């Protein structure tokens, strides 16, 4: 909304579009310096303010994220579980307590950048901010580095923590635990722990999204005449009503017996499989032959009509 600043901005944008000012200007160099220094606010502050833009020191770096993998049972995926994890990560040095300086000493303010972590470099009409090479952008120098960590302030450490796996977790799902990763550099925030969960298969149940799946064998008589069949769930058996004339492969839904969700639970999907006996007794064979003799409907009639 400021007309003067708008005019200055338009002039700078015209310089970008034309490729430079007196003596040549590299837009790629500008962008690179912006990423390595204080950002575009520093660059434009240098353009419009003659090098007087505000510069922000990079400061200590946030800790790295750590990845881990665990494998849990199907039942634990259903109900949730607390799983212990043993990790080897970078931690604060026990000798210098993360300062990077030898015991009895302390880091000093960098004399080149005055603790800012960045320095200005003039190029023609422009002023660029870039990390200080003397302190590597930290704003501090260590005259006597710690012998335990070489001045980095961190060491490799073994640690054990407990990861809470929520109920309903899926195979391959990633869980992010805030602040459980590697400690930050010299007091900076720690990174996150990213846990990839593997779920072992179940001998009876399967999974389809938030639903449990189950195949239930029934006899021909139960499918033809109907029956009340006891079927298992992860929380105990329930009775499923099989109506007369049920065909093999038909799926029934038992509400609320699937995996937990944020708003409730999935369902149990029960697929009926009619079992054909491999062997028959004499009485069974006689009964089936009598049934076959009484059967008049052709189950393949539609196939014949479609192919003639």
């Amino acid at each position: 909304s400021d007309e003067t600043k708008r005019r200055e901005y338009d002039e700078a944008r015209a310089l970008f579009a034309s490729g430079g000012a007196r003596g040549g200007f590299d837009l790629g160099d500008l962008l690179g310096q912006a990423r390595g220094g204080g950002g575009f606010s520093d660059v434009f502050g240098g353009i419009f303010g003659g090098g007087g833009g505000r510069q922000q020191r990079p400061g200590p770096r946030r800790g790295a994220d750590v990845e881990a993998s665990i494998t849990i049972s199907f039942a634990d995926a259903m109900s949730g579980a607390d799983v212990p994890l043993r990790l080897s990560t970078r931690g604060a040095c026990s000798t210098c307590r993360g300062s990077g300086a030898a015991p009895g000493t302390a880091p000093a303010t960098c004399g080149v950048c005055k603790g800012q972590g960045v320095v200005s470099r003039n190029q023609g009409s422009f002023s660029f901010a870039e990390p200080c090479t003397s302190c590597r952008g930290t704003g501090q120098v260590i005259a006597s580095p710690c012998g335990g960590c070489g001045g980095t302030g961190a060491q490799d450490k073994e640690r054990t923590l407990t990861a809470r796996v929520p109920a309903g977790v899926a195979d391959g799902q990633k869980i992010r635990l805030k602040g459980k990763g590697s400690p930050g550099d010299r007091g900076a925030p720690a990174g996150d722990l990213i846990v990839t969960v593997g779920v072992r298969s179940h001998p009876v149940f399967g999974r389809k999204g938030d639903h449990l799946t189950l195949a239930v064998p029934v006899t021909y008589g139960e499918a033809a005449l109907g029956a009340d069949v006891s079927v298992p769930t992860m929380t105990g058996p329930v009775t499923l009503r099989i109506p007369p004339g049920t065909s093999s492969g038909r799926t029934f839904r038992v509400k609320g017996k699937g995996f937990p969700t944020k708003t409730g639970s999935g369902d149990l999907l029960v697929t009926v499989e009619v079992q054909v006996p491999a062997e028959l007794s004499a009485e069974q064979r006689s009964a089936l032959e009598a049934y076959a003799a009484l059967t008049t409907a052709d189950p393949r009639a539609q196939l014949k009509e479609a192919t003639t």
Side-chain angles (χ1 to χ4, degrees):
S1 61
D2 187 294
E3 293 183 1
T4 302
K5 290 183 178 180
R6 166 66 66 180
R7 183 170 58 255
E8 291 174 342
Y9 172 79
D10 289 339
E11 291 173 356
R13 188 171 61 176
L15 283 175
F16 296 162
S18 64
R22 261 193 332 270
F25 173 73
D26 185 356
L27 179 59
D29 182 54
L30 171 64
L31 294 176
Q33 296 298 334
R35 285 192 293 267
F40 283 105
S41 62
D42 289 339
V43 174
F44 281 103
I47 292 175
F48 299 142
R54 181 174 59 88
Q55 297 176 348
Q56 298 179 352
R57 56 177 291 186
R61 291 175 297 179
R62 172 185 178 275
D65 291 340
V66 176
E67 295 188 359
S69 299
I70 59 173
T71 301
I72 62 175
S73 68
F74 197 88
D76 283 342
M78 182 83 173
S79 60
D82 292 324
V83 181
L85 290 174
R86 187 173 181 82
L87 304 173
S88 177
T89 59
R90 298 287 284 176
C93 175
S94 56
T95 302
C96 65
R97 298 184 179 180
S99 71
T105 67
T109 301
C110 176
V112 176
C113 66
K114 310 303 181 185
Q116 294 300 308
V118 292
V119 293
S120 296
R121 178 170 64 88
N122 293 324
Q123 180 175 323
S125 302
F126 298 94
S127 175
F128 299 96
E130 60 185 8
C132 176
T133 58
S134 178
C135 64
R136 298 182 180 180
T138 65
Q140 296 179 322
V141 292
I142 300 175
S144 301
C146 171
C149 63
T152 63
Q155 291 176 319
D156 289 329
K157 290 186 175 183
E158 294 284 340
R159 61 189 175 113
T160 301
L161 54 84
T162 299
R164 176 61 185 173
V165 178
V169 66
D171 182 55
Q173 184 174 335
K174 294 182 183 294
I175 300 173
R176 181 179 291 269
L177 304 177
K178 293 289 187 180
K180 299 298 184 180
S182 295
D185 180 32
R186 300 174 188 175
D192 300 334
L193 174 61
I194 303 172
V195 182
T196 301
V197 181
V199 180
R200 288 190 289 269
S201 60
H202 194 279
V204 173
F205 295 102
R207 183 170 186 173
K208 184 178 181 181
D210 294 323
H211 304 310
L212 276 175
T213 61
L214 176 67
V216 174
V218 297
T219 66
Y220 175 78
E222 289 173 329
L225 302 176
D228 291 330
V229 179
S230 178
V231 298
T233 73
M234 293 293 291
T235 57
V238 297
T239 299
L240 178 66
R241 175 62 182 170
I242 305 295
T246 295
S247 58
S248 186
R250 181 175 176 181
T251 298
F252 297 89
R253 185 182 298 267
V254 181
K255 292 287 188 179
K257 293 298 181 179
F259 277 82
T261 66
K262 293 182 179 180
T263 57
S265 296
D267 302 327
L268 172 64
L269 307 179
V270 181
T271 300
V272 171
E273 296 180 350
V274 178
Q275 299 294 296
V276 177
E279 297 181 359
L280 296 172
S281 66
E283 292 181 350
Q284 289 173 333
R285 177 174 293 277
S286 176
L288 283 176
E289 289 175 347
Y291 168 79
L294 294 173
T295 301
T296 57
D298 184 356
R300 295 172 292 279
Q302 291 183 342
L303 295 178
K304 296 176 180 178
E305 293 176 359
T307 56
T308 56

